[in-house]
Amino acid sequence: MKNILLISHGAMAEGVKGSLEMIVGHLEQIHTVSLKPDGDNIQFENDLLAKMKALNGQTLIIADLAGGTPCNVAVKNYLEDDQVEIVAGMSLPLVIEAAVNPDITADELVGLSKDSVVNVKAKMQQTVEVTATEVETDFDKYKEYEGKAKLVNVRIDERLIHGQVAGIWATSLDTQRIIVANDEAAADSLQKSSLRMAAPTSIRLSVLPVSEAAANIQKGKYGKQRIFLLFKNPADVLRYLEAGGSFETINVGNMSYKEGAREVTKSIQVMEEEETVFEVIASKGVKITAQLVPNDPSIDFMDKLRN
């Protein structure tokens, strides 16, 4: 496993590490060294050398600023070290990419990170018509795929597409299409545009009413594509099943706190009426798990809910 060492002026490195772990969970290979506000190049060099001495194997150093003291000290000590790569221009997307793709080279990392800087307002205007919702009535051409959908993950996530879904789950599962099954999102062009912005550019996106998502998937409309099916709440999941959709397992990721909700896990808060819906879903033979990110253990959600 490649070590990743974040180096910066002040608390930036620790801040990026903290934000990273909110999205992907704790990672043993992520380390930090900072140039302290009252420190200097000597303080930083001593801390860097001590940290590097404690690390084994290949190390990717990510500095905040090319030409700054942390970067310059790293270059001075490790320019000729074949076990050490050094890049500058630290950002959360860059560090996520390095963390979830340990085999990526420094050059590939720099190339990919350039796409993470986006003029959001301009991009939103370009993608207002993100996903045209077309009701498919003739499924004959998909007959050979009927009932054979490749659902690589089915998840309840109140935030729909965000860092954990787009940057961690979808990429780790080699997802080819994300399907958001939610009536409100499907009817809102602005929300669809926001979801397209949040989804990886390499992954196709469909934002569909729940009943249409069920029909399209069961009838084989997406062929052999690896599909990540995403719901906002358990009520939509039950409606999907009642509309003829099917799957064996669903993962509950994020359900935020609402007045009257109780905590099942740190990231899952459920209302009393939602508990009833989960019981109905489970009664249909669906296994329900709770797992925030792939690094976390998968637990039996219904056992947790009932205790």
Side-chain angles (χ1 to χ4, degrees), residues 195-242:
L195 291 168
R196 176 68 272 173
M197 283 279 295
T201 56
S202 61
I203 296 178
R204 297 165 182 165
L205 172 68
S206 296
V207 184
L208 304 172
V210 172
S211 60
E212 187 177 343
N216 287 357
I217 293 172
Q218 292 306 117
K219 291 294 185 178
K221 182 175 180 179
Y222 308 108
K224 296 181 179 180
Q225 294 176 30
R226 295 173 61 81
I227 299 169
F228 191 125
L229 179 57
L230 193 58
F231 296 96
K232 191 169 187 175
N233 53 63
D236 281 351
V237 175
L238 182 56
R239 288 177 54 227
Y240 179 89
L241 295 171
E242 292 174 341

Side-chain angles (χ1 to χ4, degrees), residues 81-98:
D81 191 329
D82 292 338
Q83 289 285 90
V84 179
E85 295 180 297
I86 305 171
V87 299
M90 185 192 305
S91 68
L92 184 55
L94 185 150
V95 175
I96 289 175
E97 190 66 48

Side-chain angles (χ1 to χ4, degrees), residues 33 44 50-51 71 78 110 124 126-127 139 165 187 215 254 274:
V33 176
F44 181 81
K51 176 64 71 174
C71 185
Y78 301 105
V110 171
M124 287 283 285
Q126 294 170 9
T127 57
F139 290 101
V165 169
N254 288 282
E274 291 172 329

Side-chain angles (χ1 to χ4, degrees), residues 9-23:
H9 297 77
M12 180 180 179
E14 278 294 333
V16 170
K17 180 176 184 285
S19 296
L20 171 72
E21 292 184 341
M22 284 182 64
I23 297 172

Side-chain angles (χ1 to χ4, degrees), residues 4 6-8 11-25 27 30 32 60 62-65 87-101 104 109-110 112-118 159 162-164 166-168:
I4 299 174
L6 311 180
I7 62 174
S8 72
M12 180 180 179
E14 278 294 333
V16 170
K17 180 176 184 285
S19 296
L20 171 72
E21 292 184 341
M22 284 182 64
I23 297 172
V24 304
L27 297 173
I30 308 295
T32 65
L60 170 65
I62 303 178
D64 58 348
L65 182 66
V87 299
M90 185 192 305
S91 68
L92 184 55
L94 185 150
V95 175
I96 289 175
E97 190 66 48
V100 302
N101 189 356
I104 196 169
L109 185 61
V110 171
L112 288 172
S113 68
K114 292 177 181 178
D115 293 333
S116 66
V117 180
V118 177
R159 291 180 285 174
H162 59 103
Q164 289 169 353
I168 309 303

Side-chain angles (χ1 to χ4, degrees), residues 240-285:
Y240 179 89
L241 295 171
E242 292 174 341
S246 66
F247 46 79
E248 296 179 356
T249 303
I250 188 166
N251 162 236
V252 187
N254 288 282
M255 294 178 64
S256 62
Y257 176 78
K258 298 169 282 291
E259 186 67 33
R262 73 177 180 90
E263 183 176 291
V264 180
T265 71
K266 186 176 180 181
S267 66
I268 303 170
Q269 323 282 330
V270 298
M271 301 291 289
E272 184 175 350
E273 57 269 26
E274 291 172 329
E275 294 187 41
T276 302
V277 174
F278 276 120
E279 291 287 356
V280 177
I281 293 170
S283 74
K284 293 180 177 293

